[in-house]
Amino acid sequence: MPYRAFARERIIAEVEIARLLRATVLDLERRARRGKRWTNSTSDDVRDDFILQERLAGRSARSISKELRCTVGEVDASLDRTLPKIDNDARRRYVALDMNRLDRLLETFYKRAIENADAQAGLLVVKILERRASLLGLDSPQKLDIVQVQPQEAPQGHDRIFEIDHAD
């Protein structure tokens, strides 16, 4: 009888070891596939989208690089590939779109300010007008007065400017 109990325990142990080995192999294969997902060329778009979404969500490039096991430079390069290029034509389009939006807002709030004598709508109109002038470069540049400060010599006979009394 003890031999049968021992044999039964041995079979259970072997089955358990085989199950653990299978689980380990499957886990290693899954990890290898996940690692390949970020390195093969077909998944570059997926990786770039992931990086963009994470940066838009506020994660640091360093944090993303640690997760993806790449350099911060590679994260930045990915952002360079996915973000739109800002050239003069793009700037012109953005300004034109913003001007259109501001014009629509101005029309709405100007009517409210005039017809209803709404002070808050009037303040919004002024802010919209300021923003439009800023986008168009209509505001005159602020004048800066440059003041040059030169150090003065300490009066003779005074070695120290401050004396500290340590007796409390």
Side-chain angles (χ1 to χ4, degrees):
M1 186 86 74
Y3 180 74
R4 284 187 175 177
F6 178 75
R8 192 174 111 214
E9 292 293 308
R10 184 172 157 229
I11 291 171
I12 292 172
E14 287 176 359
V15 168
E16 185 64 21
I17 289 170
R19 187 188 66 77
L20 288 172
L21 283 173
R22 258 186 309 219
T24 303
V25 167
L26 289 174
D27 186 48
L28 289 172
E29 289 173 349
R30 187 173 56 247
R31 286 182 184 192
R33 282 193 304 270
R34 193 175 5 178
K36 287 179 185 176
R37 182 181 72 200
W38 298 118
T39 57
N40 70 23
S41 61
T42 60
S43 66
D44 283 345
D45 291 340
V46 173
R47 181 181 181 194
D48 288 349
D49 288 343
F50 173 79
I51 290 171
L52 177 62
Q53 292 306 315
E54 292 298 304
R55 287 295 286 144
L56 289 174
R59 277 188 68 190
S60 69
R62 185 172 182 224
S63 168
I64 296 168
S65 70
K66 282 183 178 180
E67 180 179 338
L68 299 180
R69 295 186 180 102
C70 63
T71 66
V72 174
E74 290 172 320
V75 171
D76 291 340
S78 170
L79 291 171
D80 289 342
R81 285 190 300 273
T82 55
L83 290 173
K85 306 296 181 252
I86 307 295
D87 57 4
N88 284 334
D89 290 334
R91 282 187 187 91
R92 184 187 47 76
R93 280 191 296 277
Y94 293 140
V95 168
L97 286 169
D98 281 349
M99 291 298 295
N100 191 337
R101 291 179 187 119
L102 290 171
D103 286 343
R104 290 174 44 205
L105 286 170
L106 182 63
E107 182 180 327
T108 301
F109 288 108
Y110 185 79
K111 285 180 185 176
R112 283 188 197 170
I114 297 299
E115 293 172 1
N116 302 337
D118 186 348
Q120 288 183 339
L123 287 173
L124 283 173
V125 167
V126 171
K127 287 187 177 206
I128 291 168
L129 291 173
E130 288 173 352
R131 181 66 185 145
R132 285 183 58 193
S134 173
L135 281 173
L136 294 174
L138 300 177
D139 293 332
S140 60
Q142 292 181 353
K143 182 179 177 184
L144 297 177
D145 290 329
I146 300 174
V147 178
Q148 191 172 17
V149 178
Q150 295 183 0
Q152 294 180 353
E153 291 184 25
Q156 292 183 353
H158 289 82
D159 293 339
R160 293 191 218 162
I161 296 175
F162 298 104
E163 290 188 24
I164 301 173
D165 185 12
H166 292 288
D168 287 338

